[in-house]
Amino acid sequence: MKKTKTIPSLLVTVMLAGIGSACSSSGTTPPAVSAPKSSEATAKEQNKYAQHMKISYASGNNNLDVNNDVFAKIWKDKFNFDWEILPVPSNNNNEMFRIMINSGDMPDIGSWNYNHSEYVSYVKQGLLKKLPDGWRKKWPNLAAAQDMTGINKYVADQVGSENILFKPVMGKNYPVDTLINHSGIWYRADWFRAVGAEIKEYYTTVELMDIARKIKQQDPGKAGKALIPITIPTSELPIIFIHPNATHYQEVSQFYQDANGVFQWGLAEPEILEGLKLWRQAYDEGLLHPEFYNLPYGAETEAKTYTAGISAMNAAAGMGSVGTRQASFMKSNLGVDPNESLNFSFFTDKNGTYRANEIPNFAGSLIFNPKLDDAKFERILDILNESASEEGQLLINLGIEGTDWEKKPDGTIVNLNGDLQISDKYKSVPNLWPPLLVLRDNFTLVNPSLPKIWRDKARNQYVKKTELTDPKNPKIFAKLDPDVYFYSSPARTRAVMNISTELAGIVLKGPNVEANWNAWVKAKMPLIQPVLDELTAMKKKK
């Protein structure tokens, strides 16, 4: 017998408010799924998609079984295609795409970690396919998704061409005014309590290291020699060790203007060194995974906490879907109550101040092979346009109507899967459809199929972070400056780096972290100083 959850129709109406160009922002009933098309329209569509196509897609997707279940069949029946997935490790995305793009060996479509300087260079060289003329009118849901990002027009005007689709993060469900990141840790709250630690919404780095130290000593989960207090990859460790005390270390804010109008490099400031020393200390004490530099970002590493039960914490987005996934695996694999044993927290400095970076409303992008023929390109854009529609978002996030959810006569939505999530039920969904274009962040804040406890944690972290920072204080809040973030020049391209990897290299070089960091800054400055000079000159002209 299936468990059911009845969801008020108003919730679903709000949930869909930020999706697609045709979304309704009023009313108390969920938008109706499109009526069946006429036989004439269906015949035209079938004729349009008569030729079967194989679409190659490079993405951070290690799920290759994407063409064979009933969810996949819905898309295949409509658009007559199969996916061919080329997995791209998340920690090597830019380098792999750099090789593929420059060698002319890129798949039809790629999920790329956007870098503005490289994008400008690729467009100038003709290495990315341009969106068709009139694309906004032909694919209105794509246009609406791009408008959600707030930066599409800025980039198009600056570059003089549109060769990219940005993946929007948030819509009208976002609970605060300024978009900031959702970074933090998910952890074994039962282990924290067992070693006498207080369960809090936020910690300092020193507090967390002390807890990790006690967990290592006391082993509350009886993991034995397999115990690893902190199983977090290179890409996310700065969240613990750098972020709490350094405002200008991220890609979005590393170059900033001081009170005199001169640009500085945030990674050369003493707060970075202090964080790196703590990072090295945690490594030397065995609080970190001994090969953190080889850990992939994502579920494979997170599973050390919720499946293997050998780690106290992992780093993942503070989203309701993430909490739901980890809770489900924790309950089934470890036999514990996740409502008591799982929690999410973020990091502040010793005064309880949260250092925030305003971030653009996108995370990643879709780019296309310049040799892609027009017929296949249009097919891909048709699929993406459908995925960004109201119906597409309901399908991707809630599943198949009548099987996974249904609408009652009074307008309420009933989830028919109990605690089972769509990504667990259909093999074709994980890592493919939810992050295909419109990211699920906005939807998950109110997704009725997710338990309220995890939706609330996601929403509350944004609210609490905003309470603990001050957008008017540039020392603790870095506002997004599009002129700086999207600045491009040969010098800026030469200064591109993977910040997390660079910082990890300093930590791993040897125990004298200060000497390592000083040498690194000295070596980088010949690349960085021209960028600082150019940005200072640019702002003086404005």
Side-chain angles (χ1 to χ4, degrees):
M1 179 176 178
K2 293 181 179 178
K3 297 179 182 179
T4 62
K5 296 179 181 178
T6 303
I7 310 300
S9 60
L10 179 58
L11 178 61
V12 177
T13 302
V14 174
M15 173 176 64
L16 294 169
I19 303 171
S21 60
C23 296
S24 172
S25 60
S26 62
T28 57
T29 57
V33 175
S34 299
K37 296 181 179 179
S38 67
S39 57
E40 180 181 354
T42 302
K44 288 181 179 179
E45 187 173 86
Q46 290 175 343
N47 184 60
K48 179 181 180 181
Y49 303 130
Q51 179 186 356
H52 182 267
M53 291 184 176
K54 181 172 288 187
I55 298 173
S56 57
Y57 180 35
S59 72
N61 182 4
N62 57 8
N63 173 23
L64 304 182
D65 189 9
V66 296
N67 295 308
N68 301 311
D69 60 23
V70 294
F71 186 93
K73 187 174 185 298
I74 292 173
W75 297 90
K76 290 173 64 173
D77 285 352
K78 181 166 186 176
F79 296 103
N80 193 19
F81 79 105
D82 282 299
W83 290 111
E84 181 180 26
I85 302 296
L86 173 65
V88 176
S90 59
N91 59 355
N92 201 28
N93 180 281
N94 290 92
E95 182 59 27
M96 283 197 66
F97 271 97
R98 199 172 291 129
I99 293 170
M100 289 188 294
I101 292 171
N102 285 301
S103 66
D105 195 30
M106 182 183 153
D108 299 326
I109 179 174
S111 180
W112 178 50
N113 291 345
Y114 182 78
N115 178 281
H116 186 66
S117 293
E118 290 185 306
Y119 174 64
V120 172
S121 176
Y122 294 151
V123 172
K124 287 181 178 178
Q125 296 177 70
L127 298 177
L128 301 177
K129 192 170 182 71
K130 182 179 180 293
L131 294 175
D133 292 339
W135 69 272
R136 283 183 162 273
K137 184 176 181 180
K138 187 168 185 177
W139 294 284
N141 297 317
L142 293 186
Q146 295 312 287
D147 291 342
M148 286 169 64
T149 69
I151 52 91
N152 173 262
K153 186 177 186 303
Y154 182 96
V155 174
D157 289 345
Q158 190 180 69
V159 179
S161 181
E162 292 182 288
N163 301 62
I164 196 166
L165 292 173
F166 294 102
K167 298 183 179 184
V169 176
M170 283 294 174
K172 294 181 180 179
N173 298 326
Y174 194 59
V176 294
D177 293 333
T178 304
L179 187 62
I180 55 179
N181 68 49
H182 51 202
S183 60
I185 59 166
W186 292 90
Y187 59 92
R188 289 292 300 267
D190 53 343
W191 289 12
F192 275 45
R193 293 190 194 95
V195 299
E198 181 184 356
I199 304 302
K200 305 195 299 183
E201 290 182 275
Y202 52 90
Y203 296 93
T204 67
T205 303
V206 172
E207 285 176 329
L208 188 81
M209 288 176 63
D210 184 56
I211 296 169
R213 200 174 289 119
K214 291 176 180 177
I215 288 173
K216 180 178 174 64
Q217 294 167 350
Q218 300 177 31
D219 190 10
K222 308 302 180 186
K225 293 181 179 179
L227 175 63
I228 305 168
I230 303 173
T231 303
I232 294 177
T234 293
S235 61
E236 308 306 301
L237 281 171
I239 293 169
I240 297 177
F241 296 106
I242 308 298
H243 192 132
N245 297 291
T247 304
H248 299 284
Y249 84 92
Q250 300 181 57
E251 178 66 29
V252 70
S253 64
Q254 61 171 316
F255 304 118
Y256 73 96
Q257 202 170 16
D258 66 17
N260 297 317
V262 177
F263 272 82
Q264 306 293 336
W265 188 37
L267 289 162
E269 296 183 341
E271 292 82 4
I272 302 297
L273 174 58
E274 296 310 307
L276 292 173
K277 287 179 178 178
L278 291 173
W279 189 339
R280 177 70 197 199
Q281 181 182 344
Y283 179 66
D284 287 339
E285 291 186 25
L287 305 182
L288 306 181
H289 191 288
E291 295 186 3
F292 68 81
Y293 43 86
N294 286 330
L295 295 176
Y297 174 76
E300 180 182 345
T301 297
E302 296 166 26
K304 298 290 191 299
T305 303
Y306 57 69
T307 298
I310 61 173
S311 180
M313 63 197 81
N314 64 79
M319 296 169 56
S321 57
V322 174
T324 300
R325 181 185 73 237
Q326 295 205 17
S328 175
F329 281 111
M330 184 177 285
K331 182 177 181 179
S332 60
N333 290 296
L334 304 179
V336 297
D337 178 3
N339 290 0
E340 296 295 326
S341 302
L342 180 65
N343 199 36
F344 175 85
S345 295
F346 58 92
F347 295 92
T348 69
D349 67 15
K350 63 182 180 181
N351 298 316
T353 298
Y354 181 75
R355 280 167 167 73
N357 282 204
E358 180 183 6
I359 60 176
N361 191 25
F362 78 96
S365 64
L366 296 178
I367 51 178
F368 308 93
N369 189 320
K371 300 174 185 177
L372 190 62
D373 69 72
D374 291 342
K376 182 181 278 191
F377 194 23
E378 289 211 2
R379 183 83 59 93
I380 291 171
L381 295 178
D382 284 350
I383 295 167
L384 294 175
N385 190 68
E386 180 79 5
S387 79
S389 70
E390 293 179 1
E391 293 80 8
Q393 285 294 291
L394 280 171
L395 178 61
I396 290 168
N397 288 286
L398 292 180
I400 302 168
E401 183 176 8
T403 299
D404 303 305
W405 63 277
E406 64 183 12
K407 185 173 68 172
K408 294 297 185 181
D410 64 358
T412 58
I413 292 292
V414 177
N415 172 30
L416 302 177
N417 287 324
D419 292 332
L420 182 65
Q421 298 300 301
I422 300 306
S423 293
D424 298 324
K425 183 173 182 179
Y426 301 114
K427 290 183 178 180
S428 64
V429 173
N431 302 318
L432 174 59
W433 290 102
L436 187 61
L437 182 63
V438 177
L439 301 180
R440 60 167 49 176
D441 302 49
N442 183 62
F443 199 99
T444 59
L445 287 171
V446 290
N447 187 336
S449 71
L450 302 179
K452 185 176 183 298
I453 182 175
W454 310 121
R455 293 202 315 263
D456 286 349
K457 285 190 184 296
R459 178 176 292 271
N460 291 343
Q461 57 127 350
Y462 291 115
V463 175
K464 180 56 70 173
K465 286 175 178 177
T466 301
E467 290 175 357
L468 297 176
T469 192
D470 181 2
K472 296 180 181 179
N473 184 350
K475 292 183 179 180
I476 62 173
F477 190 99
K479 291 186 177 181
L480 178 66
D481 185 338
D483 291 337
V484 177
Y485 183 76
F486 293 111
Y487 179 75
S488 64
S489 73
R492 181 66 185 92
T493 300
R494 288 190 292 271
V496 170
M497 70 181 82
N498 184 315
I499 293 174
S500 296
T501 301
E502 295 280 347
L503 296 178
I506 297 170
V507 170
L508 294 169
K509 188 175 181 180
N512 192 338
V513 176
E514 185 167 358
N516 300 343
W517 175 72
N518 283 327
W520 178 78
V521 171
K522 183 177 180 180
K524 289 292 183 182
M525 283 312 295
L527 295 174
I528 298 299
Q529 192 59 54
V531 179
L532 300 177
D533 294 341
E534 289 177 1
L535 291 172
T536 299
M538 175 191 71
K539 286 296 187 180
K540 285 182 177 179
K541 291 179 181 178
K542 291 203 167 191

